[in-house]
Amino acid sequence: MYPKFEELAGKVAVITGGGGVLCSTMAEMLAAQKVKVAILDLKLENAQQVADKIVQNGGEAIGVEANVLTLDSLKRAHQTVVSQLGPCDILINGAGGNHPKGTTSKTHLHLEDLEANDELKTFFDLDPDGVQFVFNLNFIGTLLPTQVFAKDMVGKKGCSIINVSSMNAFTPLTKIPAYSGAKAAVSNFTQWLAVHFAKVNIRVNALAPGFFLTDQNRALLTNAEGSLTDRGNTIIDHTPMGRFGEPEDLLGTLLWLCSDGSKFVTGVVVPIDGGFSAFSGV
Ligand code: NAD
């Protein structure tokens, strides 16, 4: 029997951070496979916009307000999803991101950087609350939705969890120690969950997107007039395929991981990065 994607039709997918750039594209693609999609986001308005667009295009979707850091909020969202669409079959833990307070100004520390300079944020100035925020959003924000929604999947067939890790989980990116560490935790947790859930038919895998130009990183990667910053140029130079990713680049891998095409695959973190992680730079 060759793999098809028809088995996805009628399943219920919950997508956290579904109002955002990457996950809204995922939601639209799954809805086109006749998956019933619940778009969960801190910003209800954004979630609702994505759901409305899907419904206008003939799909089935709802926008639901949810904070991935609060069990009560997730439990309320779960009740809404179950009553309006049914129990969850596919969970995409997409909510995540960085925070400026977990970021240093420079790649390397130099002796003169330790002289008083309000503009410069060195490693020694990192705000523990900022670092905690990033760890919570990415790691706890993956753990809590999994606790709430994976219970629906236990013992059923064809259920899958897809976490969203990042390139920086394999090798940390300069300046963003908190985000790199938090995504490394997401990759590690993906493997842990894959083992833990293996006997109850829940597969757990992750996407590791490379560099996608989105609102979160546009100011870091491009100048006001559209040219690339030094960091943007370095990224392109280290991406053998020579471009940033487009949200659509994630979809084939996502479809594969959600479907029976990957039914013997669990615990993998798939780089979708134009070769960035394969290239040493030399
Ligand atoms: P985005 O900011 O467009 O989307 C993130 C969404 O998460 C937003 O809609 C936001 O409202 C929502 N959100 C934030 N905090 C939340 C909370 N506490 N509860 C519920 N929802 C919350 O970002 P994106 O670029 O589409 O990123 C999506 C995922 O992909 C993130 O996990 C991000 O870390 C990861 N990622 C992005 C890139 C990239 O290049 N853009 C690369 C690697 C990984």
Side-chain angles (χ1 to χ4, degrees), residues 20-22 41-42 66-68 94 96 164-165 179 183 210 212 214 216:
V21 178
L22 300 183
D41 206 286
L42 199 55
N67 182 351
V68 293
V164 182
S165 183
Y179 187 48
K183 287 300 193 187
F212 289 65
T214 59
Q216 273 191 28

Side-chain angles (χ1 to χ4, degrees), residues 167 170-171 238 240 271 273-280:
M167 247 338 80
F170 300 103
T171 309
H238 286 73
D273 65 347
F276 182 91
S277 58
F279 184 42
S280 71

Side-chain angles (χ1 to χ4, degrees), residues 134-152:
V134 177
F135 268 80
N136 282 349
L137 177 57
N138 292 281
F139 182 70
I140 301 294
T142 297
L143 186 141
L144 296 185
T146 304
Q147 284 185 317
V148 172
F149 288 98
K151 259 193 192 159
D152 289 357

Side-chain angles (χ1 to χ4, degrees), residues 96-137:
N98 192 21
H99 194 282
K101 288 187 171 172
T103 303
T104 63
S105 315
K106 288 169 68 175
T107 298
H108 304 292
L109 180 75
H110 294 97
L111 198 54
E112 61 273 22
D113 296 338
L114 294 181
E115 288 160 18
N117 179 351
D118 286 348
E119 300 290 302
L120 197 67
K121 192 150 77 187
T122 73
F123 166 72
F124 299 106
D125 305 313
L126 283 177
D127 177 348
D129 290 341
V131 174
Q132 185 80 62
F133 173 89
V134 177
F135 268 80
N136 282 349
L137 177 57

Side-chain angles (χ1 to χ4, degrees), residues 265-280:
V265 177
T266 194
V268 303
V269 181
V270 185
I272 305 167
D273 65 347
F276 182 91
S277 58
F279 184 42
S280 71

